[in-house]
Amino acid sequence: MAQQVQGVVARAKGEPVRIETIVVPDPGPGEAVVKVQACGVCHTDLHYREGGINDDFPFLLGHEAAGIVESVGDGVTEVAPGDYVILNWRAVCGQCRACKRGRPQYCFDTHNAKQKMTLLDGTELSPALGIGAFAEKTLVAAGQCTKVDPAASPAAAGLLGCGVMAGIGAAINTGNVGRGDSVAVIGCGGVGNAAVVGARLAGAAKIIAVDIDDKKLATAKSLGATHTVNSRSADPIEAVRELTDGNGADVVIEAVGRPETYEQAFYARDLAGTVVLVGVPTPEMRIDLPLLDVFGRGGALKSSWYGDCLPSRDFPMLIDLYQQGRLDLDAFVTETIELADVEKAFERMHHGDVLRSVVVF
């Protein structure tokens, strides 16, 4: 029987979000209903509200979430009612060319729930990243549920569902940071600081955090950066080179998503070094680099989507590190809020005062 719950909806581009009654259907084949315990307020949710993703309004926002599986549909074997899960937005298909080649982290046919959640009047909702977790309960594809240790705090664990996983994965999975490497991270918001943490976990010897905000740089330092550079007052390319014996970093992670910071990343890396773009650009952005420099500097220019993660592999491993005290996910939770405070959390994003506001149910 369908259920009615409260959720945060963006009705139109740029309009403040509001709490509305959401109709959540019973799970169909391959689907699950999850009782949400916590959901982070991510910049991607704000992009949805601003029409920066697409114009499929109204949106049911929220996607960085952890909760308890309440019910499952026919054919679901990977999770069962009562399981504690982190939600992910890339349920792999197992059948596409990437999956069949043993690279499911690059699955080209990820999927979401087939049924739609609706408003009371029957208006179909577009769930953010196929999840829609700013709601007491949500309907997802069962493959979007990754079972983890239930002792982990939902407010912290849910952050692996997007931003923290994107940053850690950019360093470990995409950048292949190794022991003794030098790493520079440009942009120290939630994703960039997660990249700092990922570089530390991978054993980087030198981690250089670059930002224009001293508060963010201080946070990066507390999370494992060995050096910081305020690019308002110093040329970040020259600063990174000076800190790496004049060579540039082995891996530079760009976590802003702008042409000018990407160019900084390109020239701040060592010869044969790697640039990883994990910041999300807007459609109109372009880069202009001398092709001879691209050729002559060698190395690799990579983009990192969701940290090239495989949730079934990476989420349990990272939760284990969290439980062992080796990964401080709690440090990313700046504040816990109620569902009605999501719009205020969007406003705080603009001031750079938070890594994550997290809705706790």
Side-chain angles (χ1 to χ4, degrees):
M1 182 177 178
Q3 303 181 66
Q4 295 182 10
V5 301
Q6 298 298 294
V8 174
V9 173
R11 284 269 192 171
K13 181 177 179 179
E15 286 188 4
V17 299
R18 50 189 176 183
I19 295 179
E20 305 216 23
T21 300
I22 311 300
V23 179
V24 181
D26 285 340
E31 297 176 342
V33 170
V34 175
K35 180 177 173 56
V36 180
Q37 293 183 307
C39 184
V41 183
C42 176
H43 275 85
T44 302
D45 294 305
L46 182 57
H47 289 326
Y48 272 105
R49 194 200 73 173
E50 296 300 309
I53 307 294
N54 58 53
D55 59 357
D56 294 335
F57 290 94
F59 293 111
L60 175 58
L61 300 181
H63 59 281
E64 278 186 347
I68 304 293
V69 175
E70 181 180 84
S71 57
V72 299
D74 292 342
V76 174
T77 58
E78 54 264 65
V79 291
D83 284 346
Y84 177 60
V85 297
I86 299 172
L87 298 182
N88 74 79
W89 44 271
R90 300 203 71 225
V92 301
C93 72
Q95 299 297 319
C96 73
R97 61 192 184 279
C99 288
K100 287 183 176 180
R101 293 172 70 186
R103 302 171 183 172
Q105 68 271 29
Y106 302 127
C107 178
F108 300 134
D109 194 21
T110 56
H111 56 281
N112 304 314
K114 289 184 169 57
Q115 297 184 87
K116 289 287 190 179
M117 292 177 279
T118 68
L119 298 173
L120 280 175
D121 63 4
T123 300
E124 292 187 348
L125 292 164
S126 298
L129 290 175
I131 294 178
F134 284 152
E136 296 160 322
K137 298 179 184 180
T138 190
L139 176 76
V140 294
Q144 294 179 267
C145 302
T146 304
K147 187 176 177 180
V148 297
D149 186 342
S153 159
L159 301 186
L160 290 178
C162 189
V164 172
M165 184 70 254
I168 291 176
I172 293 176
N173 297 332
T174 314
N176 295 313
V177 173
R179 293 185 298 274
D181 281 351
S182 57
V183 179
V185 178
I186 299 177
C188 296
V191 173
N193 274 319
V196 168
V197 169
R200 179 179 57 79
L201 286 172
K206 189 169 290 185
I207 305 170
I208 306 162
V210 181
D211 203 282
I212 60 174
D213 186 329
D214 285 332
K215 289 183 293 184
K216 291 181 179 180
L217 291 172
T219 300
K221 189 85 170 177
S222 72
L223 291 170
T226 59
H227 300 79
T228 61
V229 175
N230 188 316
S231 54
R232 280 195 191 276
S233 55
D235 182 327
I237 299 170
E238 291 305 316
V240 170
R241 287 178 176 168
E242 287 175 10
L243 291 167
T244 53
D245 300 321
N247 300 318
D250 297 308
V251 180
V252 183
I253 299 168
E254 199 279 349
V256 182
R258 294 192 59 84
E260 54 268 38
T261 45
Y262 187 86
E263 183 173 336
Q264 291 169 358
F266 179 83
Y267 286 110
R269 67 179 176 135
D270 196 359
L271 293 174
T274 299
V275 173
V276 177
L277 174 65
V278 67
V280 182
T282 55
E284 74 279 1
M285 290 180 178
R286 298 288 186 272
I287 56 173
D288 182 7
L289 293 170
L291 193 57
L292 184 61
D293 284 358
V294 176
F295 172 77
R297 297 181 69 83
L301 307 178
K302 297 182 174 183
S303 58
S304 183
W305 204 45
Y306 208 1
D308 287 339
C309 80
L310 182 61
S312 60
R313 174 196 66 196
D314 294 340
F315 289 5
M317 177 268 292
L318 292 172
I319 288 297
D320 284 348
L321 292 177
Y322 169 59
Q323 295 295 80
Q324 294 165 23
R326 297 166 61 192
L327 171 57
D328 188 4
L329 292 176
D330 294 316
F332 289 87
V333 182
T334 307
E335 62 177 359
T336 57
I337 62 174
E338 296 182 354
L339 195 62
D341 296 326
V342 168
E343 184 65 33
K344 293 178 182 177
F346 286 152
E347 293 173 9
R348 283 192 286 275
M349 281 183 182
H350 293 299
H351 303 295
D353 296 330
V354 295
L355 283 180
R356 275 297 183 270
S357 303
V358 180
V359 175
V360 175
F361 291 87

